[in-house]
Amino acid sequence: QVQPVESGGGLVQAGGSLRLSCAASGRTLSTYAMGWFRQAPGKEREFVAAINWRGDNTRYADSVKGRFTFSRDNAKNTVYLQMNDLKPEDTAVYYCAASMTRDYILTYYYTFPSKYDYWGQGTQVTVSS
């Protein structure tokens, strides 16, 4: 069992950048596909980005495409979400999740929370206008 732990959230002005990190305790992350989801107050949890276990295939929500970059460093047992040109509508709690599946290509199913087996506690990102 792996326990993702997020860090790097905070308060930033619109147009600014943040980098979220997700490390793991218990087991290596290198064998898991990883995902980022976010949840704003009063809204459902929504998909942000996913990366396969090898780090050579990614998938993004249309709302963040071109602004966010998902990467992984398996040697450091950490994944990263670089968020640039942040907007107030990006404000949410961001969750890191791990999936035990080992697909090379991230299909549409990776946009569903049910595809993931382990979840972190979340980190708050607030973007002021």
Side-chain angles (χ1 to χ4, degrees):
Q1 183 170 342
V2 64
Q3 179 59 55
V5 179
E6 306 94 338
S7 62
L11 173 64
V12 64
Q13 288 188 332
S17 298
L18 280 175
R19 188 177 79 159
L20 303 183
S21 299
C22 177
S25 61
R27 287 189 62 179
T28 176
L29 284 178
S30 64
T31 59
Y32 293 83
M34 300 297 294
W36 285 99
F37 288 75
R38 66 188 182 186
Q39 188 166 17
K43 295 188 176 181
E44 292 187 355
R45 190 168 297 192
E46 67 171 0
F47 170 75
V48 175
I51 191 167
N52 69 350
W53 63 278
R54 301 198 314 180
D56 58 5
N57 187 246
T58 52
R59 191 179 185 102
Y60 298 94
D62 288 343
S63 59
V64 307
K65 202 172 294 183
R67 300 188 297 123
F68 290 12
T69 302
F70 199 176
S71 62
R72 68 189 305 157
D73 185 338
N74 285 340
K76 294 184 177 180
N77 207 31
T78 304
V79 299
Y80 305 96
L81 185 68
Q82 178 66 43
M83 306 186 295
N84 298 329
D85 190 24
L86 283 161
K87 304 176 180 181
E89 51 264 41
D90 295 318
T91 295
V93 177
Y94 283 69
Y95 296 91
C96 177
S99 173
M100 292 189 293
T101 56
R102 289 170 65 87
D103 297 321
Y104 289 105
I105 302 299
L106 299 170
T107 65
Y108 177 65
Y109 295 104
Y110 282 88
T111 68
F112 291 92
S114 59
K115 188 66 172 177
Y116 298 83
D117 304 287
Y118 304 104
W119 290 81
Q121 294 299 306
T123 185
Q124 176 70 46
V125 172
T126 303
V127 184
S128 62
S129 58

